[in-house]
Amino acid sequence: MTDGHAWSGNWNVRLYERARERGYTSLTAFAAAHPTTPLFALAEELGAHDVAGVQVLSGLRAEAEASHQVSRFVRDVLVRLLSQNLPLGWPETLDDANRFKVAKTLGQWFAYTPESQQEHVDHAGDVLLANPPPPGWRPLNSEDALLRPLLPDDPA
């Protein structure tokens, strides 16, 4: 967790410098090497005291928009949130505790989604609730076979 220094200086430059120091050409490449790592943990890896998860999210979103890979970014964020909030995978039953975890995950996902994709994410969340994935389902990356049909890649 940051100690308040995340916003001092040019944090955007700091993000990319930290990714390059670790041998990655971009923040997206760094994140792709850790496909199920939650955003806060990616931030801790880049700088426990001066990088925040929201900064990593912002950088990944900017790169996705620049490369026309927003749908992949949106799927990637869901994978990370599922890993964080449902580490044992999709629950077998949606009792009150599990329903809360799923709702929290889907709510965060919607909140982190660019406005251009929110309608798609809202629909995908409805599909996941109406037709739940198999118990224990844990997507390992943004190319998961269940996620890709829900949120296909951006048109060229």
Side-chain angles (χ1 to χ4, degrees):
M1 178 166 276
T2 69
D3 59 7
H5 290 69
W7 301 104
S8 64
N10 191 335
W11 62 267
N12 205 21
V13 169
R14 185 169 48 246
L15 272 178
Y16 293 99
E17 286 176 351
R18 300 284 173 77
R20 282 191 298 275
E21 287 170 3
R22 286 156 180 76
Y24 298 98
T25 57
S26 66
L27 198 54
T28 300
F30 169 73
H34 309 90
T36 59
T37 302
L39 293 165
F40 77 87
L42 290 176
E44 287 178 359
E45 172 70 24
L46 291 172
H49 299 291
D50 61 358
V51 176
V54 68
Q55 292 169 329
V56 173
L57 177 71
S58 176
L60 291 172
R61 178 180 172 170
E63 287 184 6
E65 288 171 343
S67 65
H68 305 286
Q69 295 288 315
V70 177
S71 294
R72 190 212 50 82
F73 161 77
V74 171
R75 291 191 309 264
D76 179 75
V77 170
L78 178 60
V79 170
R80 294 175 193 288
L81 289 169
L82 287 167
S83 179
Q84 178 180 335
N85 297 329
L86 297 168
L88 300 177
W90 195 268
E92 187 170 342
T93 59
L94 282 181
D95 57 15
D96 287 344
N98 287 326
R99 187 181 332 276
F100 175 78
K101 290 177 189 176
V102 169
K104 175 182 172 183
T105 301
L106 296 177
Q108 286 177 313
W109 186 36
F110 186 83
Y112 294 169
T113 296
E115 190 173 327
S116 65
Q117 297 289 313
Q118 286 184 342
E119 187 175 320
H120 300 295
V121 165
D122 192 37
H123 173 73
D126 290 346
V127 169
L128 287 171
L129 290 172
N131 303 296
W137 171 70
R138 294 178 62 217
L140 300 179
N141 58 47
S142 64
E143 302 306 307
D144 181 82
L146 192 148
L147 291 180
R148 285 194 52 113
L150 286 176
L151 287 159
D153 285 332
D154 303 324

